């Protein structure tokens, strides 16, 4: 769940004075600063519903889900700005937008509660599909755990340790710039809308024309019998979709090159070795052998991901311990305060 506000984001980078000044927000007068409004809630709920579907599809397709905070900010700003021009509605304030993007990003990230991992995996293994009611209870329980854990570590990690919160800083920066220079914000909204139209057009063309994936030429020999697998068999192909291009643009060159290197090593080196050892039976010559090879390549891949995550977590053990201790001290202080009130 993402809770982003311009003020806390200013404290997220104390080691850079320029970052603090960059993230300072325009002054907001207390009487006119509305935040918890009906339209902000409804905007957040509607965006959460739509963006959650996008995240589920993207998660099942590419294995990633997105924060969607800045996307929600731009969509809400563009919609209410258009409504203001056409119907004279009240300007959509920065705090309202921050509230709606918080709700939208929280709803969009519901995909991380197992919708693109544990639940699809269970269905693929057992063929069982969870009923709607059971799925609702599951998602609510997982979301509740996330909220409770977030409340416990927020003070220590954000306010005390002042760890950088990338998505929060970026969203606060976007909000500040949008409400300081409206023309630039509208230009970004137009780019977002233009990208959506182009992506929809490409996807529609791909579906109607049934464009195939374009396999790279060449083959790799494996085994003592001189067998060969084409690069297309080993899943080296170009898929005409803008989703993968967009993901590459978002993750950056370093991460993209890491993914490319992992793909080459896994499917270009380990894959043929698996075939040579007879652990996997080669499929049809005109098909990609993703399924059979992935049953073996899955294990080292997951092992590296889990080990990397746990290693990063281990390096943050001081912050975790401090957060737990801080929560315990706060609970003891509350008990002491309640005891003093009772004695009084």
């Amino acid at each position: 769940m993402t809770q982003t506000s311009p003020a806390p984001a200013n404290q997220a980078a104390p080691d850079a004075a320029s970052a603090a000044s960059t993230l300072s927000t325009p002054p907001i007068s207390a009487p006119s600063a509305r935040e918890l409004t009906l339209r902000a809630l409804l905007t957040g709920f509607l965006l959460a519903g739509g963006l959650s579907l996008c995240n589920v599809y993207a998660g099942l397709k590419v294995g990633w889900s997105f924060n969607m905070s800045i996307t929600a900010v731009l969509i809400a700003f563009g919609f209410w700005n258009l409504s203001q021009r056409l119907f004279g509605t009240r300007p959509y304030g920065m705090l309202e937008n921050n509230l709606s993007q918080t709700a939208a990003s929280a709803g969009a990230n519901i995909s991380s509660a197992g919708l693109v991992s544990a639940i699809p995996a269970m269905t693929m293994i057992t063929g069982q599909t969870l009923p709607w009611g059971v799925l609702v209870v599951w998602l609510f329980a997982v979301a509740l755990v996330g909220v409770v854990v977030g409340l416990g570590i927020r003070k220590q990690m954000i306010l005390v340790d002042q760890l950088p919160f990338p998505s929060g800083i970026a969203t606060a920066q976007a909000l500040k710039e949008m409400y300081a220079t409206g023309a630039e914000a509208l230009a970004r909204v137009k780019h977002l809308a233009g990208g959506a139209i182009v992506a929809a057009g490409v996807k529609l063309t791909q579906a109607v024309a049934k464009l195939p994936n374009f396999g790279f030429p060449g083959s790799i020999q494996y085994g003592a019998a001189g067998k060969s697998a084409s690069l297309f068999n080993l899943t080296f192909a170009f898929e005409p979709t803008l989703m993968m291009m967009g993901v590459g643009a978002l993750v950056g060159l370093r991460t993209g090159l890491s993914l490319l290197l992992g793909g080459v090593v896994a499917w270009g080196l380990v894959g043929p070795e698996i075939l040579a050892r007879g652990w996997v039976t080669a499929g049809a010559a005109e098909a990609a052998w993703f399924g059979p090879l992935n049953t073996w390549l899955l294990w080292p891949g997951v092992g590296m991901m889990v080990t990397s995550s746990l290693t990063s977590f281990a390096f943050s053990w001081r912050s975790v311990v401090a957060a737990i201790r801080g929560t315990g001290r706060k609970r003891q202080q509350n008990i002491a305060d309640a005891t003093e009130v009772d004695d009084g």
Side-chain angles (χ1 to χ4, degrees):
M1 178 176 181
T2 302
Q3 292 182 340
T4 305
S5 59
N10 294 342
Q11 305 171 5
D15 56 336
S18 58
S21 61
T22 302
L23 293 175
S24 59
T25 58
I28 305 173
S29 58
S32 62
R34 300 185 179 184
E35 182 174 8
L36 185 58
T37 62
L38 180 60
R39 66 174 182 174
L41 290 174
L42 291 177
T43 301
F45 293 160
L46 292 175
L47 287 175
L51 295 177
S52 64
L53 296 177
C54 297
N55 251 352
V56 171
Y57 179 82
L60 294 173
K61 182 71 174 178
V62 301
W64 275 310
S65 61
F66 304 96
N67 182 265
M68 295 294 186
S69 292
I70 296 181
T71 304
V73 164
L74 292 174
I75 293 176
F77 182 86
F79 174 81
W80 286 109
N81 187 278
L82 180 63
S83 176
Q84 179 184 353
R85 294 187 178 188
L86 296 179
F87 308 108
T89 57
R90 178 169 50 86
Y92 198 60
M94 179 164 58
L95 295 182
E96 287 182 297
N97 202 333
N98 187 55
L99 177 67
S100 62
Q101 72 83 16
T102 301
S105 62
N109 280 286
I110 199 65
S111 59
S112 61
L115 289 179
V116 297
S117 55
I119 295 175
M122 184 192 69
T123 302
M124 294 173 66
I125 294 173
T126 65
Q128 179 184 0
T129 302
L130 292 180
W132 181 85
V134 175
L135 193 59
V136 168
V137 173
W138 167 269
L139 295 177
F140 178 80
V142 174
L144 184 61
V145 171
V147 171
V148 172
V149 173
L151 290 175
I153 65 177
R154 173 187 176 275
K155 181 179 179 181
Q156 180 64 35
M157 291 191 171
I158 296 181
L159 301 181
V160 179
D161 292 341
Q162 295 185 336
L163 299 177
F165 186 25
S167 61
I169 293 175
T171 305
Q173 179 71 18
L175 280 166
K176 190 268 295 184
E177 290 184 357
M178 287 170 59
Y179 284 89
T181 55
E184 183 178 351
L186 288 177
R188 295 183 180 184
V189 173
K190 292 178 181 178
H191 282 87
L192 179 65
I197 293 173
V198 171
V202 171
K203 186 64 178 179
L204 183 61
T205 302
Q206 180 185 3
V208 173
K210 298 181 179 180
L211 298 177
N213 296 336
F214 302 101
F216 294 155
S219 61
I220 295 179
Q221 301 288 329
Y222 68 90
K227 298 180 180 179
S228 66
S230 68
L231 292 182
F232 181 76
N233 294 145
L234 298 173
T235 72
F236 288 97
F238 175 76
E239 183 178 358
T241 174
L242 294 182
M243 177 180 290
M244 304 302 293
M245 298 180 188
V247 169
L250 289 173
V251 301
L253 181 62
R254 183 172 61 179
T255 303
L257 290 176
S258 298
L259 292 171
L260 178 61
L261 177 61
V264 171
V265 172
W267 299 92
L269 298 179
V270 181
E273 182 65 21
I274 293 174
L275 290 167
R277 292 178 178 270
W279 295 346
V280 171
T281 303
E286 68 279 2
W289 303 340
F290 174 80
L293 287 173
N294 195 46
T295 57
W296 284 91
L297 294 175
L298 173 71
W299 297 104
V302 171
M304 287 189 289
M305 290 175 59
V306 173
T307 303
S308 176
S309 300
L310 292 178
T311 303
S312 299
F313 182 78
F315 279 114
S316 304
W317 68 270
R318 291 184 177 86
S319 297
V320 176
V321 172
I324 296 174
R325 289 178 176 176
T327 303
R329 286 194 296 267
K330 183 177 180 181
R331 185 182 300 108
Q332 293 176 358
Q333 183 63 40
N334 292 338
I335 295 174
D337 294 341
T339 303
E340 291 178 2
V341 172
D342 293 338
D343 294 341

